[in-house]
Amino acid sequence: MLIDQFEELLTVCNDPVEQAAFGEVLYALSDPGSAEGFACRLLLTMRADHLAPFGERPGLQSLHRRLMGDDAGGNHLFLSPIGVDDIRRAIQLPADEVGLRFVPPDLVERLARQTADLANGLPLLQFALRWLW
């Protein structure tokens, strides 16, 4: 089961009861020792800046321990941040496609360098560019 943007359970869903219920279902589905011999493999994607809130949220700790804890046996993978050149292209190419330009001209470079230094830089960049465009 693939769940993309799992952090939305923490950011979009504000009901702790619903969060806990969803976490319990995922925990049960992923139980390798289930009586029926069925275990669902989970693939969750989540921004790294939401890992701590995920582990601290009541009702989600068991799922967090299964996926991230010492007993997870390397079940998690952290992707490295993209480099400044890729960030620059992610800003410039869509703008070029629709004929937008940046003023001042060094704005793309400044945005790319500032984004590369932040752990949650890409979501912040996306938010800023959406407002600019």
Side-chain angles (χ1 to χ4, degrees):
M1 175 184 296
L2 169 64
I3 301 174
D4 193 15
Q5 297 179 332
F6 183 73
E7 70 271 9
E8 289 187 359
L9 179 63
L10 309 172
T11 60
V12 176
C13 177
N14 294 317
D15 184 346
V17 174
E18 286 185 18
Q19 291 173 348
F22 189 69
E24 289 169 13
V25 167
L26 293 179
Y27 185 81
L29 283 173
S30 64
D31 184 3
S34 70
E36 294 80 26
F38 170 82
C40 180
R41 292 182 187 259
L42 298 179
L43 176 59
L44 309 177
T45 66
M46 172 191 285
R47 288 183 9 216
D49 55 322
H50 290 281
L51 282 174
F54 171 38
E56 296 165 357
R57 196 65 50 105
L60 295 177
Q61 286 102 356
S62 295
L63 179 62
H64 183 271
R65 276 192 303 279
R66 174 166 288 158
L67 299 176
M68 302 298 298
D70 292 334
D71 59 340
N75 285 335
H76 54 276
L77 172 68
F78 294 101
L79 301 178
S80 58
I82 65 173
V84 174
D85 291 337
D86 290 326
I87 295 171
R88 192 180 304 114
R89 280 192 295 279
I91 298 169
Q92 190 68 57
L93 292 178
D96 290 346
E97 286 181 16
V98 295
L100 294 175
R101 61 187 175 88
F102 291 90
V103 177
D106 71 332
L107 184 59
V108 171
E109 185 64 30
R110 290 182 5 216
L111 288 170
R113 295 216 175 272
Q114 289 174 357
T115 300
D117 292 336
L118 300 173
N120 59 348
L122 287 178
L124 292 173
L125 176 65
Q126 178 186 11
F127 177 80
L129 291 175
R130 185 175 304 261
W131 278 99
L132 285 173
W133 290 338

